[in-house]
Amino acid sequence: MTGILVLAGAYIISHFYRSFLAVLSPYLEADLGMSSAQMSDALGAWFVAFAVSQIPVGVLLDRIGPRRTSALMFGVIGGFGGGLFAIAQSPTAVLVAMVALGVGCSPVLMASVYLFKRSFEPRRFAALASTFIAIGLAGNIIGSSPLALALEAWGWRAVMMVLTGATVALALGIMVLVKDPPNVDNKQGGQGSYLDILKLRELWSILPLIFFIYSVAGGLRGIWAGPYLAKVHGLSATEIGTITFWMAIAMVAGSFAYGPADTLFNTRKWVVFTGAVIAFAALMFWVLNPAASAFQVAIVLVIIGFFSLCYGLLMAHATANIPDHLAGRGVTLVNFFNMGGVGTMQWVTSAVYRDAGGDAEPLIAISSVLWVYAACFGATLVLYAFSKDAKPNPAAV
């Protein structure tokens, strides 16, 4: 259990790195001349690097275990990325640092999920994963108003150096405290592959929603809330930090709430679907009211944050169909879709933002971004409605 706790600390840092640009944006614009689109590209690079890394991470989890995989990648590559960010002198350096941070953070959640799948009863998986994700979301809280206060007090470079030190220290803790579960052999022979997982028809209507749903909360919280509130409503970094703080609180609360919901209602599909519909409705309000007040947008962000954080339950829905000998590859493939969706959508939305006028026309540009999110979210939600449920207690009537 001590190993899970230190992994949770690393996961908090991981969430910080994927969410801090919204608050840091005024400083990066002032010191390095970064535009909103460039910051969106940098955040997208984090998510894409994270997603692509899931492929080797899955193989490493199955072959060498979660301890060495997570400790070495988080400490060495993540530590390098944090240090580079702290001394960055250009938008390009920030982009490279974000790539390294994405790769370094990529094994942390999956190492924990691997341990949950291999070491606990299947019916506890959703609750364990959702609780772990909720704890990690504390990084979103740290990356909101507390970060804004720290930036004002010490400057962004000093803050990044402290976080880099924390990254390396946690990696050392993982190496010492995490215990690998015993290996599992495939009774049918061979180690299996990602293609074997993709052949599972039960996943075909689930993976598209996994690809898009977190991209909405992750993209809005990670970057677009910042430029919108600053350029449309003239809010300061501290005020933006306050709003994103409450969205982060909602994301934590939502993840905790989803954890026991599948066993309470004995359904994974319909709990996810109901929450996703509510999040989609909130997004559509903003889409149809792009000039809504800052208070209204804050309420929308809180609703989206709470109801879209069903990833633990979605993961349980998907991985219920994946055999144990493919556990590492299975959970990382699911996470590839989850994180790859955020990264892909950041690049798509940054292109849309530029084409719609960019920083010169922020209201029009961000309105176009919201329409893209809504269209993708709605389409995958319809597809998910046709998925097959995976009840945590199939024997219950």
Side-chain angles (χ1 to χ4, degrees):
M1 186 56 68
T2 307
I4 295 294
L5 292 177
V6 75
L7 281 167
Y11 192 49
I12 290 172
I13 298 293
S14 172
H15 265 283
F16 174 88
Y17 286 139
R18 74 186 68 175
S19 65
F20 71 149
L21 289 183
V23 176
L24 202 58
S25 58
Y27 295 90
L28 296 179
E29 183 176 357
D31 292 354
L32 304 181
M34 288 189 74
S35 67
S36 299
Q38 286 177 316
M39 281 181 268
S40 178
D41 287 338
L43 181 60
W46 189 98
F47 279 103
V48 170
F50 188 110
V52 172
S53 298
Q54 296 306 297
I55 306 304
V57 165
V59 176
L60 290 171
L61 288 175
D62 285 330
R63 290 185 177 176
I64 69 171
R67 181 177 67 90
R68 285 176 291 172
T69 300
S70 54
L72 293 175
M73 293 183 69
F74 189 64
V76 177
I77 305 176
F80 166 77
L84 178 60
F85 199 113
I87 62 172
Q89 299 296 324
S90 69
T92 300
V94 170
L95 180 67
V96 174
M98 290 296 283
V99 169
L101 287 170
V103 175
C105 293
S106 64
V108 177
L109 173 61
M110 292 301 96
S112 306
V113 168
Y114 182 88
L115 290 170
F116 296 152
K117 185 169 175 62
R118 291 287 317 283
S119 305
F120 296 88
E121 295 179 5
R123 70 174 63 185
R124 298 181 61 190
F125 182 89
L128 288 167
S130 295
T131 300
F132 189 86
I133 290 170
I135 292 171
L137 286 167
N140 280 339
I141 299 174
I142 297 171
S144 56
S145 53
L147 172 62
L149 295 174
L151 294 173
E152 289 184 358
W154 301 302
W156 66 273
R157 295 187 187 277
V159 170
M160 284 303 303
M161 287 304 299
V162 170
L163 287 162
T164 301
T167 299
V168 175
L170 284 166
L172 293 173
I174 292 170
M175 183 65 79
V176 173
L177 297 173
V178 170
K179 305 299 182 184
D180 292 327
N183 292 329
V184 174
D185 295 326
N186 181 4
K187 296 179 180 179
Q188 297 178 347
Q191 293 184 326
S193 68
Y194 285 105
L195 182 59
D196 293 327
I197 301 170
L198 290 172
K199 289 178 181 178
L200 298 171
R201 291 178 178 270
E202 292 83 357
L203 299 179
W204 294 357
S205 55
I206 303 173
L207 290 176
L209 183 61
I210 290 175
F211 188 84
F212 281 108
I213 191 169
Y214 183 45
S215 72
V216 179
L220 295 177
R221 168 66 187 85
I223 184 64
W224 293 120
Y228 176 87
L229 294 169
K231 298 180 184 300
V232 175
H233 292 293
L235 270 60
S236 67
T238 302
E239 291 169 324
I240 294 170
T242 299
I243 291 176
T244 55
F245 170 83
W246 288 111
M247 183 181 185
I249 291 290
M251 293 167 77
V252 173
S255 190
F256 272 121
Y258 274 112
D262 65 330
T263 53
L264 180 63
F265 298 103
N266 197 33
T267 175
R268 288 169 178 152
K269 172 185 174 178
W270 296 113
V271 171
V272 168
F273 185 79
T274 301
V277 166
I278 296 172
F280 178 72
L283 176 62
M284 285 305 302
F285 173 84
W286 193 4
V287 167
L288 298 174
N289 300 275
S293 69
F295 178 77
Q296 290 174 317
V297 171
I299 296 299
V300 166
L301 291 172
V302 167
I303 293 172
I304 291 174
F306 184 92
F307 286 100
S308 66
L309 256 290
C310 53
Y311 179 48
L313 209 51
L314 268 172
M315 189 189 303
H317 190 180
T319 58
N321 302 289
I322 299 172
D324 282 348
H325 73 278
L326 289 171
R329 290 170 176 83
V331 295
T332 52
L333 180 67
V334 171
N335 209 37
F336 169 82
F337 276 84
N338 181 52
M339 305 302 285
V342 185
T344 300
M345 290 302 292
Q346 283 305 131
W347 285 346
V348 169
T349 54
S350 65
V352 169
Y353 183 83
R354 290 188 183 96
D355 291 342
D359 290 343
E361 297 286 348
L363 181 59
I364 296 173
I366 294 181
S367 177
S368 299
V369 167
L370 295 176
W371 272 108
V372 171
Y373 278 128
C376 295
F377 192 1
T380 56
L381 194 54
V382 170
L383 184 60
Y384 183 74
F386 293 94
S387 66
K388 180 181 178 181
D389 200 0
K391 298 179 182 296
N393 185 10
V397 178

